[in-house]
Structures are given as structure tokens and as C-alpha cells.
Amino acid sequence: MFISMKSVSAIVAGICLGAVAFQATAQDDIPRLRKAAEGLFLIGNALPTRAFSDVIASDIAAQDFNRLTCENEMKWDATEPQEGQFRFEAGDQLVEFAQKHGMKVHGHTFLWHSQTPNWVFQDPNGGRASRELVLKRLENHIRALMTHWKGKIDSWDVCNECYEDDGRVRAPGGFGGNWRQAIGDDYMEQAFKIADKVAKEIGDEKVLLVYNDFNMYKPGKRDAVVKMVNDFKAKGIRIDAIGMQAHWQSNDDPSIETIEAAFKAYASTGCKIIISEMDINTRNGFRNSGRGLERDDSVQGNADSSADALAKRYADVFDLFVKYHKDIYAVTLWGIGDSWSWLRGGQPLVFDNNLDPKPCYYSVLKSLQKGQAALKK
Ligand code: 9MR
């Protein structure tokens, strides 16, 4: 059965515009991802604020998903562009929408090498800020955001993308090494300690603290993150979940076995697993990671733009997510439809440029429905 989301949304649009009288539709009978994922894991999407003035996009968000992430609006450059001058309006819009529709919100992100203004690392004379000053600014930033959205955010990415693929922590002075250079080797530990301290202080202890990164299936990075989490736990530093971004390719790259090995490793730490930024590259010979789509001649055949290949890939990975549903807290797709994706010109998501569902939408739905049926047996 192929039901156009656009036609459902057009009715909603009509209602919103007052153009047509409300007609009882069979909307409740249309199977949607949100309903199908119940009992398995939360199912999320990442949206820019403009989505909330787009009737079709917001209708899809509310009907198919129950967990939202701001694509950019809760990052440091958006929330504290100048020291001590906080901007919450854009993030508030997403939080209000989520509350209205009974959805959870994931906060993205406190400490990241990217989209962080330079002033964070500079002293008032233009020199390099001291460890103490940068830690103070980090604490101030974390406290302001956690306090503003107290009780409204379910989980926060405390640190984002701190490791190289081979498991080294990004080097001070090298790309992405700004935080380590400013604070020192214990910078991630400090960030998690601050987030936990603030959560306790403001009485928001239920909020989940997350480490998030791309290429988390790669053995070097995987083993380093597992070690970090175990070290933190041994020291009594709270870390609740591990975010695997899941910017992957359409033809079994990474393989299901490799992803499964990562799930086993992360689950062994006792942390929840979050698939945090899923999209599937369909361009052969390109690699999709948090760094962007990079041409790589060594990966010929890794991706395929056919709708069937994408539908099969989504089915394979969602079947695996369902298999590991006890360890997986949430699965979030990074964007509503293809034209909204940061992977410009690709077809990485489950809705097309017109926000109509693609065959891969139905393979996700089917995997979830199968998983849900198995739960009831
Ligand atoms: O999707 C985001 C895009 O709109 C921004 O231009 C980009 C800037 O860095 O960030 C994108 O989101 C990234 C996320 O915050 C962290 N992991 C990688 C994501 C894709 O680049």
C-alpha cells in the first residue's frame, strides 16, 4: 500500500488555512513510523526551525517521529554567539512543537570543535585563553542551556566528535583539537563532570548525558570510546549513552556484521546506544561521515542510487536495530526529506524532495512492524 503523505498533509494544510472544512480522515489507520516503533525505541528526526512553518514537514514530524533534535539551533554559535548573550528562541520553537505533540527532545551539543565561536578560546587581550577561563566558559554555557531547558530536554550530547577514526583523541593544534588544546587532555572528563554537576544542582538528574561521534563502527574509534566510557565509570563520572551518528552508505558499507560488533561493544559498557544522525549516501565512490561526502576511489561499489538498493539497506539496518532494541534507546534520521538533507543533491532519507514517502520509508515501517509483532508474541 502506498499512501501519499502529501495528500494527508494537504488536508491538514487546508484545515490550517481554513480553506476546507475539517473532514474526518482515516489518518489513524495509516501506519506511521512513530506508532510502529512503540515498544522498540524512540524514533526521531533532526529539523531546522524553518520546518515549523512548513505544513507538510511539520505534519510528518508530528506523525512519524517522537523525538526531535535541532539540526543547528542548540549549537554554541546559535545559543551563545557572544559571551554571556544567550539566544534560545530558535531552540524554544522546536521544544514547544515537541511538547505540543508529546515528543522528547535531544539537545545537540555542548562541546564540539565546530560551530563554536572563536571568543571561547581567546582571552580579553586576544591571546589564548587559560584552561581555567575556558572551563569557566564551558560551565557557564552548560549551566545556561540546561537551566533554560530544564525538564524539557531528555538527553544532551555533552561531547561531540572528539576521536579520530583510529582511536586517537583529536590532537591539540590539529583539526578539531581546539578544546583539547585549551583545556588539556582531560577535557571530555571535565565536560561530563560539569554536565552532571549542573544537572544535580538544578534538579534535572534524569537528563541523559551522551558521547556522540561519526564512524563509530570503526574498530579503532569503537575500542577507544568503549575504553573512555569504562574509565569514566571506574572514576564515577556519569555517562549514560553512546551516540552513533550513522552517516552510512547504501551498499552494505559498513557491513551489518561490523555494525553489530559495535552494538555488542557499546552495550557491554552498560550505556544505552543512540543512532543519532542516520542518513544513507547513494553516490557510488563517495564516503559519508560527519565530515561530509568525500570522494574515495577505494570504495567503488559502496553506494547505489537505485530506490531498491536504498530500500534494502534501510530494511537491513532497521532489522538489526530491531534485533538490538533492548540496547537501543533511540534512532534519529538526520533530516525530513532529501531536499532538506545536509548531503545536498543526494537521496539519503526516507521522504523525497516533495516529502512523499519513498520505498525505503516502507521498508523501515515493515521492519518496525515485524519487530513490534515479535514483542507481542
Ligand atoms: O546538518 C548540519 C548542517 O546543517 C550544518 O551546516 C553542519 C555544520 O557543521 O552541521 C550539520 O550537522 C552535523 C552535526 O551537527 C554533527 N555531526 C555531523 C552533522 C552533519 O555534518
Side-chain angles (χ1 to χ4, degrees):
M1 182 172 55
F2 190 91
I3 296 158
S4 163
M5 296 295 159
K6 231 167 136 189
S7 51
V8 171
S9 304
I11 295 167
V12 176
I15 294 162
C16 294
L17 297 169
V20 294
F22 177 78
Q23 302 169 26
T25 67
Q27 276 194 55
D28 289 349
D29 302 333
I30 299 172
R32 305 292 287 248
L33 305 185
R34 179 175 179 161
K35 187 99 184 115
E38 273 173 15
L40 294 168
F41 35 69
L42 296 167
I43 182 108
N45 209 297
L47 298 171
T49 309
R50 69 186 161 88
F52 304 113
S53 47
D54 181 311
V55 180
I56 299 177
S58 35
D59 181 51
I60 289 174
Q63 301 227 35
D64 277 304
F65 302 101
N66 55 13
R67 181 176 187 266
L68 294 184
T69 306
C70 280
E71 191 175 356
N72 289 295
E73 293 76 358
M74 289 189 189
K75 293 173 181 173
W76 198 307
D77 58 354
T79 50
E80 193 186 4
Q82 270 100 40
E83 185 159 18
Q85 296 181 16
F86 292 94
R87 293 193 181 154
F88 298 124
E89 300 79 10
D92 282 345
Q93 279 191 50
L94 178 131
V95 169
E96 279 159 24
F97 181 90
Q99 287 190 321
K100 189 169 151 207
H101 296 282
M103 309 160 108
K104 292 194 188 289
V105 178
H106 174 65
H108 174 73
T109 172
F110 293 146
L111 183 154
W112 187 25
H113 61 262
S114 184
Q115 289 177 277
T116 302
N118 289 336
W119 65 257
V120 176
F121 306 106
Q122 283 164 359
D123 74 9
N125 305 318
R128 204 180 275 172
S130 66
R131 164 181 165 95
E132 290 67 34
L133 182 55
V134 178
L135 279 172
K136 202 174 122 222
R137 286 171 170 162
L138 180 64
E139 180 161 340
N140 196 39
H141 184 80
I142 291 179
R143 179 172 289 105
L145 271 63
M146 286 184 107
T147 305
H148 180 78
W149 284 304
K150 177 186 162 184
K152 297 176 179 169
I153 299 247
D154 181 54
S155 47
W156 273 110
D157 285 332
V158 177
C159 292
N160 193 45
E161 302 177 5
C162 298
Y163 284 90
E164 303 284 357
D165 289 351
D166 64 5
R168 283 172 303 151
V169 178
R170 288 175 187 268
F175 179 76
N178 45 5
W179 281 103
R180 186 170 173 198
Q181 181 158 50
I183 295 177
D185 291 350
D186 62 343
Y187 72 112
M188 287 182 261
E189 187 172 325
Q190 292 297 333
F192 276 92
K193 279 184 180 164
I194 291 170
D196 186 39
K197 181 177 90 171
V198 173
K200 285 197 178 94
E201 237 175 65
I202 64 172
D204 199 11
E205 279 140 306
K206 277 197 306 209
V207 71
L208 300 175
L209 305 182
V210 188
Y211 176 76
N212 188 52
D213 210 330
F214 59 84
N215 286 349
M216 290 285 274
Y217 63 87
K218 294 207 168 180
K221 190 177 276 201
R222 178 195 71 200
D223 295 347
V225 171
V226 166
K227 184 174 180 315
M228 170 192 73
V229 172
N230 287 335
D231 287 351
F232 279 16
K233 293 203 171 205
K235 288 183 188 171
I237 300 167
R238 179 157 81 93
I239 178 164
D240 305 300
I242 298 171
M244 299 176 67
Q245 291 185 7
H247 299 292
W248 293 336
Q249 341 296 324
S250 56
N251 282 355
D252 206 39
D253 174 10
S255 71
I256 294 299
E257 293 71 33
T258 308
I259 301 169
E260 186 163 14
F263 285 173
K264 286 185 178 149
Y266 294 134
S268 77
T269 67
C271 273
K272 300 173 198 296
I273 297 169
I274 296 175
I275 305 296
S276 56
E277 303 183 13
M278 186 174 177
D279 46 28
I280 301 288
N281 165 41
T282 55
R283 294 176 69 191
N284 180 31
F286 282 80
R287 234 174 217 301
N288 178 17
S289 73
R291 281 188 293 265
L293 213 51
E294 297 163 331
R295 182 182 280 283
D296 179 351
D297 289 335
S298 72
V299 290
Q300 284 303 315
N302 71 331
D304 185 329
S305 62
S306 77
D308 286 351
L310 195 62
K312 179 175 184 314
R313 179 62 162 160
Y314 267 102
D316 290 348
V317 290
F318 268 82
D319 283 350
L320 185 71
F321 298 164
V322 165
K323 180 172 170 192
Y324 282 84
H325 73 92
K326 288 201 175 115
D327 300 309
I328 295 178
Y329 181 69
V331 177
T332 283
L333 299 176
W334 203 246
I336 283 279
D338 290 341
S339 61
W340 295 67
S341 170
W342 71 293
L343 296 171
R344 307 260 176 253
Q347 301 125 50
L349 297 166
V350 297
F351 291 93
D352 67 14
N353 288 340
N354 296 321
L355 293 179
D356 276 322
K358 295 158 53 174
C360 55
Y361 174 91
Y362 293 101
S363 44
V364 172
L365 190 63
K366 199 166 149 206
S367 294
L368 296 174
Q369 288 171 329
K370 271 192 310 187
Q372 211 177 54
L375 288 181
K376 288 178 186 150
K377 276 188 192 150

